[in-house]
């Protein structure tokens, strides 16, 4: 296992000359002394004259307040009110596919921002820049998000800024030329929610990190949007924080839970059908045909409105399973119907015979286990969300399932 110093040295070796100079000059207060010494050593190895480099950089003109007025910058609030969230969402999940499980949280957060009143800043710009890791590989980079005080030229960490303040920060039109508005907003949303989707979570997590000395890590400086570099628990990334706070609900691969939930729904429908037939219809059925073909078809028809209106079924509800779109919304009736019939067709082979039915189940099981999605969920762009079941629900489920089995058996025989 690499030592802490070795990790810092590797990280420093990837930084640009400009970034290394900043570590030992205007951002020195954000880094520990050993990190600054390693930065100096790295610059020395590159034969960089620190004083000359710093002088050249400071000789560049620092933008003044009048520059902003002339360029007519917009605020983040302006951009958010004039952008299609669906486009932002697509970019967000392209960059962070692991955050798809938080789709409903992101959408609610965006809607919340639309209702907020921005605190207009007089001098702070939002800056988003690429930081290249490998000069030979242009695709190997991360986006660095920071603030710039145009009056002092000081670079700012925006992590402690409130969401109302974020909305009031300015964005130069020229800065949107190298990065489109959708990408800009998606990066801001990711950064703004890295400590949680609510004010309470944000405040509590910032307080926790401050108490643990994790804020303004020596390794990450002003850029707190670096989930790929975690050493010695010095930084809680957005993904790690969200995992710890939403562990009770997530996209998971749980084929057996889904099978038991479907079996419960099947048993309930079978039981109700037998009761109706015994009391009203008085019809003789081929039990084999009824069990493996007719009941699953009826189940598909009954399941459709349940998924459309409630996002779940009795069996799924007991086992804490929810079916939804990637944005967290319930399925349209058409999509729910299409999914239910695809389950009947591909998941149960329309009950042609026991061998084909078993084969269909096995194929579905292995596809879900190894690819993470069943064929019908993949084709319909559907998410299956699992929450922690709990002991009480488990007991209730087993009790009801056994009762259904006994009742069906007693009616049949």
């Amino acid at each position: 296992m690499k030592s802490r110093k070795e990790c810092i040295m590797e990280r420093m070796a990837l930084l640009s000359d400009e970034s290394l100079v900043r570590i030992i000059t205007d951002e020195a207060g954000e880094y520990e002394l050993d990190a600054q010494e390693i930065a100096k050593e790295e610059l020395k190895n590159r034969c960089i004259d620190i004083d000359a480099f710093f002088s050249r950089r400071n000789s560049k003109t620092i933008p003044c307040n009048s520059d902003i007025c002339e360029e007519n910058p917009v605020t983040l609030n302006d951009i958010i009110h004039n952008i299609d969230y669906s486009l932002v969402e697509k970019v967000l999940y392209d960059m962070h596919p692991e955050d798809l499980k938080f789709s409903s949280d992101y959408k609610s957060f965006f809607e919340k921002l639309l209702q907020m009143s921005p605190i207009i800043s007089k001098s702070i710009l939002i800056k988003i820049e690429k930081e290249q890791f490998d000069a030979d590989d242009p695709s190997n980079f991360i986006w660095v998000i920071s603030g710039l005080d145009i009056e002092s030229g000081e670079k700012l960490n925006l992590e402690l800024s409130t969401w109302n303040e974020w909305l009031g920060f300015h964005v130069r039109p020229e800065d949107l030329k190298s990065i489109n508005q959708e990408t800009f907003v998606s990066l801001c949303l990711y950064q703004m929610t890295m400590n949680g989707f609510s004010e309470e979570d944000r405040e509590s997590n910032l307080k926790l990190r401050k108490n643990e000395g994790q804020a303004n890590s020596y390794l990450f400086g002003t850029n707190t949007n670096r989930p790929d570099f975690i050493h010695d628990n010095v930084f809680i990334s957005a993904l790690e924080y969200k995992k710890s706070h939403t562990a009770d609900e997530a996209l998971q691969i749980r084929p057996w839970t889904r099978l038991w939930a479907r079996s419960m729904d099947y048993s309930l429908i079978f039981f109700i059908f037998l009761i109706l037939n015994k009391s009203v219809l008085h019809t003789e059925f081929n039990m084999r045909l009824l069990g493996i073909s007719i009941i699953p078809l009826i189940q598909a028809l009954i399941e459709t409105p349940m998924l459309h209106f409630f996002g779940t079924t009795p069996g799924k509800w007991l086992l804490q399973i929810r079916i939804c779109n990637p944005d967290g919304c319930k399925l349209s009736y058409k999509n729910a119907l299409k999914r239910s019939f695809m389950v009947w067709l591909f998941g149960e082979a329309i009950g042609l015979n026991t061998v084909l039915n078993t084969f269909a189940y096995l194929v579905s099981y292995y596809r879900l286990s190894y690819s993470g999605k069943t064929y019908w969920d993949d084709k319909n762009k559907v998410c299956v969300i699992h929450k922690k079941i709990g002991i009480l629900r488990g007991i209730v489920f087993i009790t009801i399932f056994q009762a259904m089995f006994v009742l069906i058996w007693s009616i049949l025989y």
Side-chain angles (χ1 to χ4, degrees):
M1 183 176 178
K2 295 179 182 179
S3 67
R4 177 181 176 222
K5 183 175 180 180
E6 289 174 328
C7 290
I8 301 174
M9 291 176 68
E10 287 186 1
R11 177 70 185 94
M12 294 297 180
L14 295 171
L15 296 178
S16 64
D17 296 345
E18 172 77 16
S19 297
L20 289 171
V21 171
R22 287 203 306 265
I23 289 173
I24 60 178
T25 53
D26 51 335
E27 296 176 7
E30 299 176 7
Y31 293 81
E32 294 183 355
L33 292 176
D34 54 350
Q36 294 181 45
E37 291 300 321
I38 293 172
K40 289 179 182 178
E41 188 65 28
E42 178 64 27
L43 285 169
K44 183 178 179 181
N45 293 338
R46 299 182 188 181
C47 301
I48 300 295
D49 186 331
I50 299 173
D51 293 333
F53 191 100
F54 192 49
S55 297
R56 285 197 306 273
R57 194 190 66 176
N58 283 347
S59 65
K60 297 178 181 179
T61 303
I62 296 176
C64 63
N65 199 36
S66 60
D67 290 334
I68 284 190
C69 297
E70 292 172 3
E71 295 174 11
N72 297 318
V74 294
T75 62
L76 179 60
N77 186 63
D78 296 327
I79 299 175
I80 285 177
H81 276 81
N82 290 282
I83 199 168
D84 183 349
Y85 176 71
S86 63
L87 300 177
V88 175
E89 187 179 53
K90 184 181 185 304
V91 175
L92 178 63
Y93 300 139
D94 283 345
M95 292 191 294
H96 303 286
E98 71 282 354
D99 266 19
L100 182 61
K101 61 178 72 70
F102 307 112
S103 58
S104 60
D105 296 297
Y106 275 116
K107 186 175 183 180
S108 298
F109 178 71
F110 185 84
E111 292 172 350
K112 186 190 301 182
L113 293 180
L114 294 175
Q115 305 302 317
M116 287 185 177
S117 299
I119 300 176
I120 304 299
S121 169
K122 293 182 178 180
S123 60
I124 297 179
L125 290 169
I126 298 176
K127 300 291 291 183
I128 298 183
E129 304 166 298
K130 281 185 179 180
E131 183 169 301
Q132 204 74 38
F133 286 156
D134 187 348
D136 298 325
D137 183 6
S139 64
N140 191 3
F141 71 92
I142 60 171
W143 293 107
V144 180
I145 304 176
S146 61
L148 175 66
D149 188 328
I150 58 167
E151 293 182 346
S152 65
E154 181 183 3
K155 197 171 184 179
L156 306 172
N157 184 343
L158 301 181
E159 183 181 10
L160 300 180
S161 303
T162 66
W163 293 329
N164 301 79
E165 291 172 335
W166 270 87
L167 292 174
F169 292 152
H170 295 279
V171 181
R172 280 202 183 112
E174 64 185 55
D175 291 336
L176 295 174
K177 291 179 181 178
S178 58
I179 175 173
N180 61 46
Q181 291 189 5
E182 291 77 18
T183 302
F184 191 95
V185 172
S186 66
L187 289 168
C188 287
L189 291 182
Y190 186 80
Q191 180 81 357
M192 293 166 75
T193 59
M194 66 182 310
N195 290 303
F197 291 98
S198 69
E199 290 284 4
E200 294 77 14
D201 283 345
R202 176 183 171 279
E203 292 297 328
S204 62
N205 192 48
L206 282 173
K207 183 177 180 181
L208 175 65
R209 289 177 56 193
K210 184 177 180 180
N211 292 339
E212 294 180 357
Q214 293 175 338
N216 295 327
S217 154
Y218 71 89
L219 188 58
F220 299 97
T222 59
N223 178 24
T224 55
N225 189 22
R226 302 180 185 223
D228 297 325
F229 297 95
I230 304 175
H231 301 297
D232 299 333
N233 197 31
V234 297
F235 182 72
I236 300 178
S237 71
L239 180 58
E240 290 301 313
Y241 171 74
K242 291 170 184 173
K243 280 182 178 178
S244 68
H245 282 69
T246 58
D248 63 328
E249 179 171 321
L251 290 166
Q252 300 171 27
I253 302 173
R254 298 169 65 177
W256 288 105
T257 304
R258 294 172 64 166
L259 177 61
W260 284 115
R262 188 162 190 81
S263 299
M264 169 64 84
D265 294 331
Y266 174 90
S267 299
L268 287 171
I269 294 171
F270 201 178
F271 173 68
I272 294 171
F273 182 87
L274 290 176
I275 292 294
L276 289 173
N277 185 59
K278 189 173 183 179
S279 59
V280 180
L281 301 177
H282 306 292
T283 305
E284 291 293 330
F285 283 98
N286 180 316
M287 287 298 108
R288 180 176 174 278
L289 178 64
L290 178 67
I292 68 172
S293 186
I294 297 177
I295 294 300
L297 176 58
I298 295 174
Q299 183 176 355
L301 292 170
I302 294 176
E303 182 183 72
T304 297
M306 288 185 176
L307 294 182
H308 172 61
F309 289 110
F310 308 109
T312 190
T313 62
K316 290 178 174 65
W317 177 78
L318 278 171
L319 294 182
Q320 295 283 60
I321 301 173
R322 182 166 61 91
I323 311 297
C324 62
N325 290 314
D327 61 2
C329 296
K330 296 182 182 68
L331 305 184
S332 66
Y333 194 90
K334 180 180 178 181
N335 209 24
L337 181 64
K338 186 178 178 182
R339 180 187 186 274
S340 296
F341 271 90
M342 287 183 74
V343 173
W344 178 63
L345 177 61
F346 298 105
E348 297 174 328
I350 64 175
L352 291 175
N353 59 57
T354 305
V355 175
L356 281 176
N357 186 263
T358 303
F359 178 75
Y361 272 118
L362 289 173
V363 170
S364 300
Y365 172 82
Y366 282 106
R367 180 183 172 91
L368 176 60
S369 299
Y370 292 100
S371 71
K373 275 199 172 187
T374 56
Y375 176 73
W376 45 88
D377 288 333
D378 188 30
K379 287 295 181 182
N380 292 292
K381 308 299 180 185
V382 169
C383 294
V384 180
I385 306 295
H386 294 269
K387 294 177 69 175
K388 185 178 180 180
I389 298 172
I391 297 175
L392 181 60
R393 279 182 179 268
I395 294 173
V396 171
F397 177 85
I398 293 172
T399 302
I400 295 176
F401 194 78
Q402 288 180 334
M404 287 294 101
F405 181 80
V406 172
L407 290 170
I408 290 172
W409 186 268
S410 64
I411 293 173
L412 290 174
Y413 303 100

